Amino acid sequence: AMVFDNLIDNALRYSTTRRTLRIQARQQGAQVVFDVQDQGVGIPPEELSRVERRFVRGRQTRASGSGLGLAIVGRLVRDHGGTFTLESVVGSGTTVRVSLPMME
């Protein structure tokens, strides 16, 4: 639950006046893949790899926050044997993809 709380909070926090989220889940082999997509400000390419670190926030962000949300998500997902990726286009939004192994 904490993973999705952080992802949804981030998506809303970094949205502009258009607060639209798209959340999808699908099975892909032995994984369950979740996408959380916003239509917010986006993350510049040079910052994508850095915003997953603790206490790092985008340089152009106006939203408040500690810079821990994505770091927490990444850690929890990895601790459960999954993967976490970010795709973003400045001015169009960000998609966070979480893949977790299915339980038997």
Side-chain angles (χ1 to χ4, degrees):
M2 185 180 276
V3 167
F4 296 103
D5 283 348
N6 276 297
L7 292 179
I8 292 168
D9 180 64
N10 264 15
L12 292 173
R13 185 183 306 256
Y14 295 104
S15 291
T16 55
T17 55
R18 187 174 184 190
R19 292 181 168 213
T20 302
L21 298 182
R22 181 174 150 192
I23 302 171
Q24 290 184 303
R26 66 186 177 284
Q27 181 181 347
Q28 190 171 330
Q31 303 277 317
V32 177
V33 180
F34 301 91
D35 290 338
V36 178
Q37 182 179 34
D38 66 47
Q39 295 179 347
V41 297
I43 305 166
E46 65 275 9
E47 293 183 13
L48 271 177
S49 63
R50 291 187 10 233
V51 296
E52 296 177 37
R53 298 182 197 152
R54 290 183 302 161
F55 307 114
V56 175
R57 300 177 66 231
R59 287 178 298 165
Q60 298 178 6
T61 185
R62 293 184 201 145
S64 63
S66 64
L68 287 172
L70 293 178
I72 290 169
V73 168
R75 177 63 189 261
L76 288 171
V77 168
R78 285 188 298 276
D79 285 352
H80 286 88
T83 60
F84 163 71
T85 59
L86 288 170
E87 298 172 6
S88 192
V89 176
V90 173
S92 293
T94 301
T95 300
V96 179
R97 179 163 293 136
V98 172
S99 297
L100 295 168
M102 289 179 35
M103 295 187 66
E104 298 199 17

